[in-house]
Amino acid sequence: MDIGLARTFLAIAETRSFQRAAERLHVTQTAISARVRALEDQLGRPLFVRNKAGAVLTSAGEQFMPHARTLVQVWERARQQVAVPEGRRAVLALGCETSLWHPLLPRWLVRMRERAPDLALRCTVGPARELLDQVAGGVLDAAIAYAPQQRPGLRVELLIEERLVMVSTDPETRVPRAADYVNVDWGPEFEMQHGLAFPQLSNAPVQTGLGPLGLEYVLAAGGTGYFRLEVARSHIEAGRLHRVPDTPEFLYPAYVVYAAGAEPPALHEALEGLREMAGNLPPPGSLSAGYPEKA
């Protein structure tokens, strides 16, 4: 069967919409409909019922769901394994949400090179939804994300209980001013809590959707903002940043997402490495940091 048909089926099942599936797959809605007709012809059963609410799986569609997911994952794994570099036993593909890659991902890469030098490692950084799509499709073995949505066939495991803290280049800052505040988009939950705590900062003149960019700007131009404690701690220790006293902390946990079921040896090693790296990160209240010592 054409793997593209299985991908199309899964995209419709997850979005519950032919139109949104077309947008995700970057094709026309007409192409999506044609693929569904071809798949239904091959299976001899209708897979979706379309109504005003979108596209709903039929009983046959529900039964086909795990098989479609397996088909795509097996195909992607086979494609990757055929491309294993010489001298490596397997390829391990890991994704990480843009706001979470540092410092966990570099530490993990170093540790994997020490513990599993015969693995080929492929890393990608991007938006959480795209990463989860790739995990579900077998393109990625696992992904690290903040507040990932639960999806059938994927397992979500808490990795790090990170915190967002307010820091400033001015040690005398007690009440943040909108004029020198950098508002970082850390997600809808943070935005809601932040808006309740600091309504006067919602229209800050500098806003960014990327934490590292906001932090670099604050360090270069001066100012105040909320940043991940694990990333800010080295600057706090060096005196470049200062915790703003009596300001709330916000939870920003990181999760690792991977396909449910049996873990291939390479994925098992990767997950153990991530858990180990997460365990080596200092607790949120600590200001000691640094790369873990080599084993």
Side-chain angles (χ1 to χ4, degrees):
M1 188 185 75
D2 184 352
I3 296 298
L5 299 183
R7 292 189 194 280
T8 300
F9 170 84
L10 291 172
I12 299 170
E14 290 171 4
T15 62
R16 296 183 179 274
S17 166
F18 278 51
Q19 180 178 347
R20 287 194 293 271
E23 293 171 356
R24 177 182 292 188
L25 298 175
H26 307 291
V27 298
T28 65
Q29 190 168 338
T30 301
I32 292 291
S33 298
R35 292 179 185 180
V36 171
R37 285 195 300 271
L39 182 57
E40 289 178 334
D41 287 344
Q42 291 184 26
L43 295 175
R45 294 287 187 278
L47 300 175
F48 295 99
V49 175
R50 299 176 69 173
N51 52 39
K52 293 182 179 179
V56 181
L57 286 170
T58 64
S59 58
E62 294 282 0
Q63 293 175 347
F64 182 62
M65 173 76 80
H67 300 293
R69 188 176 295 114
T70 299
L71 281 168
V72 172
Q73 290 175 348
V74 169
W75 168 254
E76 287 298 334
R77 192 164 303 280
R79 188 174 62 84
Q80 290 185 8
Q81 293 304 320
V82 168
V84 174
E86 186 176 354
R88 309 288 173 160
R89 62 180 165 91
V91 176
L92 193 287
L94 177 71
C96 189
E97 192 168 346
T98 307
S99 62
L100 290 169
W101 71 269
H102 179 71
L104 179 64
L105 201 51
R107 296 180 182 184
W108 176 81
L109 283 169
V110 172
R111 184 50 58 95
M112 289 299 291
R113 182 170 180 174
E114 296 169 350
R115 296 291 181 85
D118 56 347
L119 282 179
L121 304 176
R122 295 176 180 168
C123 296
T124 184
V125 175
R129 193 185 75 174
E130 292 182 10
L131 297 176
L132 265 60
D133 287 345
Q134 293 180 50
V135 174
V139 178
L140 293 175
D141 294 286
I144 303 168
Y146 163 71
Q149 293 182 340
Q150 292 280 355
R151 295 193 186 186
L154 297 185
R155 180 172 297 168
V156 178
E157 176 184 328
L158 178 64
L159 194 60
I160 309 170
E161 292 189 287
E162 177 68 286
R163 294 177 185 271
L164 299 171
V165 298
M166 184 181 285
V167 295
S168 178
T169 52
D170 180 2
E172 301 301 319
T173 296
R174 295 296 181 271
V175 179
R177 302 180 306 163
D180 60 4
Y181 189 77
V182 176
N183 193 355
V184 179
D185 180 7
W186 291 108
E189 185 175 345
F190 169 81
E191 183 179 2
M192 180 185 67
Q193 295 176 343
H194 181 270
L196 291 173
F198 304 101
Q200 75 278 15
L201 300 177
S202 59
N203 290 322
V206 178
Q207 304 195 30
T208 176
L210 187 61
L213 174 61
L215 182 58
E216 288 299 318
Y217 173 82
V218 166
L219 290 169
T224 305
Y226 267 94
F227 299 100
R228 291 171 51 216
L229 178 58
E230 178 56 31
V231 175
R233 68 173 71 251
S234 62
H235 301 292
I236 297 172
E237 291 177 336
R240 293 185 291 269
L241 292 176
H242 309 273
R243 293 282 298 271
V244 179
D246 302 320
T247 52
E249 297 181 351
F250 300 102
L251 291 176
Y252 196 73
Y255 297 84
V256 59
V257 184
Y258 52 97
E263 296 176 12
L267 176 58
H268 178 76
E269 292 172 83
L271 293 174
E272 287 301 310
L274 286 172
R275 294 166 185 142
E276 184 177 347
M277 291 299 94
N280 283 337
L281 294 178
S286 168
L287 289 182
S288 61
Y291 283 77
E293 295 181 357
K294 293 183 178 182

